[in-house]
Amino acid sequence: MENLLQLLLTTVQIGSVYVLFALGLTIIFGVLKIVNFAHSQFFTLSALLVAVVIPWLMEEGYSLFNAYLFGLVIGIAGAAMLGVLTYQVGFRWFQRDMVGSFILSAGLVLLFEGIYLEVFGGAVRSVPPLVEGTISVLGAGLSAQRLLICIIAVMLTGGLAWVLAKTRFGNALRAVSIDHEAAMLQGIPYKSIAFHGFIFATLIGAIAGALIAPVSSVSPTFGDSFLVKGFIAVVIGGLGSVPGAIIGSLLIAAIEAFGGFYFDPSSASLAIFVLVMLMLLVRPNGVLGRG
Amino acid sequence: MDYLRTASGKFICSPAEPFPPVDGEDSTPWNIGFSLVDDLPGRGLNEITKTRGLIMSAINKIYFAVALSVCSSASMYGHAADVIKLGLSVPLSGAGANWGIGANWLCQQAASDIAAKGGVNVAGRNYNFECVAYDNKYNAADGAKVAQTLLTKDKVKFISGSLGTAPVRALQSLSERRGVLMFTTAWGASIKGPKFPMTFTQMNTPNEIVYPLVGFVKERHPAIKTVALLNPNDATGQETEAIARKAWEAAGVKVVASDWYERGTSEFQPVAAKMAALKPDAVDLCSSTPADSGQVFKELKSLGWDGVKVIEVGTGAGGLLATGGEAAENTYMGAAVTLESVNSTPLQHRLEEGVKSLTGESINAVQIGFYDSVMALAAAMERAQSVEPGDIAKTLPEVTFESFYGTSAFGGKSTYGSPQQVLVPVVVTQLQQGKLIEVSRIQPEELIKRVQ
């Protein structure tokens, strides 16, 4: 029972970050109909900036909380600016072009990784935990930092769901993702929504990167494994589907947690790939994807 | 006048300096021995003029002969050294970039240090080294491209370092066939032996590290009865796991679990939960990277586990501390290097500072091999008095050379079937209060005998 609870907690923790990452991917796909592999680079940049800024501010005499606050703002703002640049220079010209955007985003991954390596160096960076200690939940151990990340991620996911369901911007995003021509006929400014949707997704990725930094190995290649998992999550859940991205992310997290415990992490990774292959064979559009 | 140039195209002796002009003659030396007198039109020139011309011509011939002899002497004793290219197949981008960047720099440093001593003297000629590094991205496909570039385009005869088992295998398939001598950090025992006479391992591998390290840890913590192992699921991990399992069992410790993870894994909590549930006395992360290991120890600590922590081939404290923090305290490692010791040398400090300024991380055993291999190569060339890879390969096991660690050699015939393994000490380190401390230095028996 204790182990089961531990694994459920682990699933929620891992899954909440995957959800944030996958939501960014799925929003970009929904609005622009492109697969953006460079999404992992916004996530990475945010984490790297957080890992650089927080220790530096603490050395300058800022309190841990203030350093965190500034670090998060700088990390997210930096990633958002890169997102704006990437969109205006690149993706703006490849909207609804799967092949072109695929090649562009793959190239951008290599370019950004090279730049990060040059600027930040290849060394793994540490981010001090905001909260220390371990919390016991019905006998299951959990670090306070992870619990905090988990709470913030769940709140963000909830907020995101609300934005998409209840706001004009969210409605416009959903409308464009369903049928962009019909949305334009209804007076929705597609170009503006596409741009804002891209930046919105970038911000979500940046927040995810900044959040996970204190419990991960932050390096220029930090986003690679999250990209693979996030992409698999949206394929399983259905490209362009927000609930699908959430379901896919939690499913992958559950396989990782339970598979890693009862077998080993390598078997869990294998199981995830087997699952995605089966999904593509049986239900190519994913659990909640549209044809 | 190409015969007056070095291989690099620089003039040894410039012909730009004219000889003293002679009346009625071109002032350049190339017309020496050619008297304009003979070409002067008409007859009846007086004998004095004729004789003067002949004398001057003779003087010019002497000048030229002297100049030629001076130039040829210079080319024999004081010309610019010839350059031998040393190929490197290393990751210069991606996750392993820091190792590759540091390794390349250390190769260059070794080449500079040898040049500063006058180069390598072989049969009266001086040779210097030039390091040529390409990015193998730590994978077989790029490793194959690098192999082709180095051996076909650059025509290198010596690979002074190669990193990553997959790219090294791609490189070895060509290097052995073409008689190119290759040094490698790849750990696989199957990569060397009598079938691969041109391959030499430039750092300690699990075969050299694991038994001394496990023995040391068990001696220090006799209460250890159980251990859980975790390895990356690749050739390196599988080989290390097999050795580590035998070593722990030989030390009387039961292996209660042995798990695998894929490189690039970002979440270690599930496997940490599994290990913590087994309550082992020790956790050995074998060939896991320091950064991954730090994450595992951090998760284990949050789950309440606090036993003996070992990373058999842990290469440094930087990544371990960055991800593990206090949870990594007291971890033992077998492939890390610390310069906290009072016995560390100026050379070690210089190389450490160079690597640190370049990569932001301390020097590690993987990178050090790239310095040592160049030193070994130089020693073997001077002993063999040859620059042919085949001769060097035969001579390498016979020489001792000054490595980063001190006097070193090549051996390991009893383990691998042929002496292709560098003999350097196993440095056992431990993280104490956030600092890497050397707790034991175990010299290979074979090296002790060789040096004596």
Side-chain angles (χ1 to χ4, degrees):
Chain A
M1 187 63 198
E2 205 175 283
N3 284 342
L4 184 69
L5 188 66
Q6 181 75 58
L7 294 174
L8 284 170
L9 278 172
T10 301
T11 300
V12 176
Q13 279 174 69
I14 302 170
S16 56
V17 177
Y18 288 169
V19 165
L20 286 177
F21 192 93
L23 281 175
L25 276 177
T26 210
I27 286 169
I28 290 173
F29 180 83
V31 175
L32 295 167
K33 291 290 178 286
I34 60 170
V35 175
N36 180 19
F37 289 126
H39 188 68
S40 63
Q41 300 306 305
F42 310 133
F43 174 88
T44 303
L45 179 63
S46 173
L48 283 167
L49 287 171
V50 162
V52 169
V53 169
I54 291 174
W56 176 68
L57 286 176
M58 285 174 72
E59 276 175 24
E60 294 295 308
Y62 282 74
S63 69
L64 182 62
F65 182 77
N66 286 338
Y68 250 90
L69 213 58
F70 281 117
L72 286 171
V73 169
I74 290 167
I76 293 163
M81 282 194 285
L82 184 67
V84 171
L85 182 74
T86 305
Y87 181 83
Q88 296 293 4
V89 174
F91 289 110
R92 186 178 154 196
W93 314 101
F94 290 92
Q95 289 176 38
R96 319 189 87 74
D97 176 358
M98 282 287 270
V99 176
S101 64
F102 178 88
I103 294 165
L104 173 69
S105 65
L108 286 173
V109 168
L110 295 174
L111 174 71
F112 290 145
E113 256 184 27
I115 292 170
Y116 296 165
L117 190 67
E118 203 60 45
V119 174
F120 296 99
V124 171
R125 292 176 178 273
S126 67
V127 180
L130 183 60
V131 280
E132 294 274 10
T134 304
I135 291 161
S136 180
V137 182
L138 299 171
L142 183 68
S143 76
Q145 179 72 32
R146 275 189 175 272
L147 184 65
L148 181 72
I149 289 168
C150 186
I151 290 165
I152 294 170
V154 169
M155 282 167 62
L156 276 170
T157 306
L160 196 63
W162 179 82
V163 165
L164 289 168
K166 300 290 179 187
T167 65
R168 275 172 66 86
F169 174 63
N171 285 334
L173 274 180
R174 284 189 298 127
V176 163
S177 75
I178 293 163
D179 188 336
H180 78 292
E181 285 170 343
M184 283 194 286
L185 289 170
Q186 298 304 313
I188 293 171
Y190 172 69
K191 281 186 179 174
S192 168
I193 290 296
F195 170 69
H196 287 103
F198 186 91
I199 303 308
F200 184 58
T202 300
L203 279 172
I204 297 165
I207 291 166
L211 273 181
I212 197 75
V215 292
S216 282
S217 311
V218 182
S219 74
T221 55
F222 172 60
D224 292 357
S225 67
F226 285 92
L227 175 70
V228 173
K229 302 275 168 56
F231 192 62
I232 289 173
V234 296
V235 167
I236 290 170
L239 278 163
S241 164
V242 170
I246 295 169
I247 290 167
S249 299
L250 291 173
L251 184 61
I252 283 175
I255 292 170
E256 269 197 328
F258 285 82
F261 185 87
Y262 290 108
F263 301 98
D264 61 36
S266 205
S267 306
S269 298
L270 187 67
I272 289 166
F273 285 105
V274 169
L275 177 71
V276 81
M277 281 191 282
L278 287 172
M279 184 59 75
L280 288 170
L281 285 169
V282 177
R283 202 176 162 82
N285 294 322
V287 177
L288 300 175
R290 286 181 296 273
Chain B
M1 297 309 295
D2 282 350
Y3 63 88
L4 287 175
R5 292 170 185 245
T6 63
S8 61
K10 287 180 182 170
F11 283 107
I12 296 164
C13 200
S14 169
E17 287 295 319
F19 289 101
V22 180
D23 292 353
E25 287 194 4
D26 190 333
S27 63
T28 58
W30 321 131
N31 292 325
I32 290 171
F34 164 73
S35 173
L36 285 176
V37 170
D38 299 336
D39 282 2
L40 287 172
R43 294 175 184 183
L45 286 170
N46 64 58
E47 288 298 314
I48 296 168
T49 310
K50 220 171 185 180
T51 308
R52 184 171 171 266
L54 286 168
I55 290 166
M56 284 302 158
S57 170
I59 289 168
N60 274 351
K61 280 178 182 174
I62 292 162
Y63 271 138
F64 188 53
V66 170
L68 267 182
S69 67
V70 167
C71 279
S72 59
S73 302
S75 68
M76 270 188 76
Y77 300 106
H79 71 78
D82 289 331
V83 172
I84 294 172
K85 281 184 180 177
L86 303 178
L88 279 84
S89 172
V90 290
L92 297 170
S93 62
N98 260 12
W99 284 11
I101 291 164
N104 184 25
W105 184 83
L106 283 164
C107 176
Q108 289 165 359
Q109 284 303 296
S112 298
D113 289 356
I114 287 163
K117 289 175 184 170
V120 181
N121 189 275
V122 176
R125 291 178 73 90
N126 276 351
Y127 293 90
N128 279 330
F129 295 123
E130 181 193 339
C131 303
V132 182
Y134 291 104
D135 185 5
N136 66 25
K137 295 191 174 72
Y138 230 118
N139 67 56
D142 284 278
K145 281 184 217 163
V146 169
Q148 285 290 358
T149 307
L150 283 171
L151 273 55
T152 307
K153 181 178 152 281
D154 293 341
K155 293 187 165 51
V156 302
K157 293 289 175 194
F158 301 97
I159 306 290
S160 71
S162 50
L163 213 164
T165 302
V168 165
R169 284 193 193 282
L171 179 57
Q172 190 184 41
S173 63
L174 271 180
S175 64
E176 285 288 337
R177 222 171 35 229
R178 297 193 187 180
V180 170
L181 191 140
M182 180 177 83
F183 288 96
T184 181
T185 56
W187 285 334
S190 58
I191 217 155
K192 56 183 181 279
K195 281 197 295 183
F196 307 108
M198 302 300 283
T199 303
F200 292 82
T201 307
Q202 62 200 118
M203 71 173 289
N204 276 334
T205 74
N207 266 316
E208 287 72 46
I209 295 168
V210 172
Y211 278 91
L213 177 64
V214 167
F216 174 84
V217 171
K218 175 65 179 166
E219 203 174 293
R220 262 205 171 188
H221 303 274
I224 295 175
K225 296 283 180 283
T226 55
V227 65
L229 310 179
L230 179 68
N231 269 286
N233 191 15
D234 57 16
T236 304
Q238 283 158 15
E239 186 150 333
T240 309
E241 193 269 351
I243 300 164
R245 182 186 282 274
K246 283 179 190 165
W248 282 109
E249 283 168 354
V253 178
K254 188 184 175 189
V255 179
V256 291
S258 180
D259 289 309
W260 309 94
Y261 73 92
E262 296 303 318
R263 286 201 193 268
T265 295
S266 52
E267 277 297 343
F268 290 94
Q269 213 188 28
V271 76
K274 179 184 180 176
M275 287 196 285
L278 292 165
K279 296 184 172 63
D281 300 320
V283 163
D284 183 356
L285 301 185
C286 300
S287 57
S288 305
T289 64
D292 290 348
S293 303
Q295 282 190 274
V296 176
F297 290 142
K298 198 183 205 174
E299 298 300 345
L300 283 168
K301 192 186 178 189
S302 72
L303 294 162
W305 182 87
D306 187 27
V308 177
K309 298 178 277 277
V310 181
I311 313 169
E312 300 285 359
V313 278
T315 50
L320 183 63
L321 280 168
T323 56
E326 287 175 10
E329 186 66 8
N330 295 326
T331 301
Y332 291 100
M333 285 187 279
V337 174
T338 176
L339 300 182
E340 294 293 318
S341 157
V342 288
N343 298 321
S344 52
T345 64
L347 168 75
Q348 291 172 337
H349 281 286
R350 174 165 62 86
L351 298 181
E352 156 78 1
E353 281 160 22
V355 170
K356 205 162 188 171
S357 68
L358 198 65
T359 65
E361 287 180 336
S362 288
I363 199 167
N364 66 52
V366 175
Q367 296 163 332
I368 289 165
F370 286 73
Y371 183 90
D372 292 350
S373 63
V374 181
M375 293 299 170
L377 206 51
M381 278 179 178
E382 290 203 327
R383 168 71 71 89
Q385 282 300 291
S386 168
V387 290
E388 286 305 311
D391 298 339
I392 310 302
K394 285 187 189 116
T395 312
L396 262 173
E398 298 165 10
V399 296
T400 57
F401 59 94
E402 284 311 305
S403 75
F404 178 92
Y405 303 95
T407 305
S408 301
F410 276 86
K413 190 175 180 178
S414 58
T415 309
Y416 303 105
S418 57
Q420 292 168 291
Q421 170 64 47
V422 74
L423 302 172
V424 291
V426 174
V427 180
V428 181
T429 54
Q430 188 183 28
L431 262 183
Q432 293 175 7
Q433 286 156 1
K435 273 193 170 178
L436 199 59
I437 305 297
E438 185 178 319
V439 288
S440 179
R441 182 172 285 233
I442 305 156
Q443 290 282 0
E445 290 291 326
E446 190 179 352
L447 181 64
I448 294 167
K449 286 175 191 164
R450 285 280 296 279
V451 172
Q452 281 171 347

